[in-house]
Amino acid sequence: RTIAVHGTPLPGFPPPGAVLVFHDVTDLRRLERMRQDFVANASHELKTPLASIKVNTETLLDWGLHDDSVNVILLNQIDEQVDRLDNLVQDMLRLARLESSDAPFLLEPMALGPIVRACVSDHEPRARAREQRLIAECDALDDSVRVRAAEEAIRQILDNLIDNAIKYSPEGASIRIAARTDDQRVRLDVADSGPGIPRDDIPRIFERFYRVDKARSRSLGGTGLGLAIVKHLAQSLGGEVGVESQLGVGSTFTIRLPRHRETA
Ligand code: ADP
């Protein structure tokens, strides 16, 4: 029999044969608080685009149907907000999936180089549209550099980091994706020369929905969940993520993953 006790046990308590379990109530409260904050933040994030869609559909129904140019503007705005809701729901589902399982991916040994190079080339059209240059310095990643991972997880990590670097850097900037290895680990850097992150915000940017500048992030299509997802993904691969940043100079996000060695 298990009895949970909070506070001082009564005399003669517990009865013989019972097992006492002392919960750390502060930890439970903190978790409950985080859950409540998440629900509140998520509801707010969902409400904002919904409210904007509602205003536009009402305007269309009341006024717009006679004027084609107004219709097109309003419909485009609705389309943008639907995309935003779609991104948000997808990111929330990704995070829920990562948080609900200790082992969300099947890990297999794989070469890292081809995955990094494919990710970089996937992002080239977006970078080019902003006249930015993606510079991949992946020579250290020959086929002998292997990790025990899931391709989907590595791609998602790099997608989110490169996406942020493109989004937050000015037009014409260069973004460097570099790889280094040592005996034990592989290190991937995504470095930009964007606005940088204020020192006080750095410890918080991996929290769900935390943004340095909410309005800017939203206007660039951000959900505020990208880095929380990156952190979970890195941990699920036995690795970690870190950042070094200087205001007005740029930011470098670093992923470290354990290297896989074949045993003969
Ligand atoms: P978002 O969808 O808002 O980009 P993220 O979780 O990806 O959400 O990032 C959280 C916040 O961290 C961003 O809102 C932004 O303020 C900051 N941030 C992330 N990447 C960068 C970067 N490369 N340069 C400057 N700020 C960044």
Side-chain angles (χ1 to χ4, degrees), residues 137-158:
E137 294 169 5
C138 298
D139 294 348
L141 292 186
D142 61 31
D143 284 353
S144 69
V145 178
R146 292 165 75 75
V147 287
R148 216 177 131 69
E151 180 167 347
E152 186 194 341
I154 296 176
R155 287 190 84 111
Q156 181 78 63
I157 289 173
L158 282 172

Side-chain angles (χ1 to χ4, degrees), residues 91 160-169 190-198 201 204-214 216-218 220-230 243 245 250-253:
D91 273 358
N160 286 2
L161 294 181
I162 299 174
D163 190 65
N164 278 349
I166 292 176
K167 209 163 66 172
Y168 293 110
S169 297
V190 177
D192 65 53
S193 46
I197 301 164
D201 292 301
R204 303 204 57 192
I205 55 170
F206 294 95
E207 289 174 19
R208 302 175 296 185
F209 293 122
Y210 189 85
R211 289 119 149 178
V212 177
D213 180 340
K214 266 199 166 50
R216 173 138 199 260
S217 151
R218 287 205 185 108
L220 294 169
T223 63
L225 294 177
L227 289 180
I229 292 174
V230 167
V243 61
S245 187
S251 311
T252 301
F253 285 83

Side-chain angles (χ1 to χ4, degrees), residues 35 53 79 153 177:
R35 197 191 60 77
I53 290 170
D79 195 48
I177 297 99

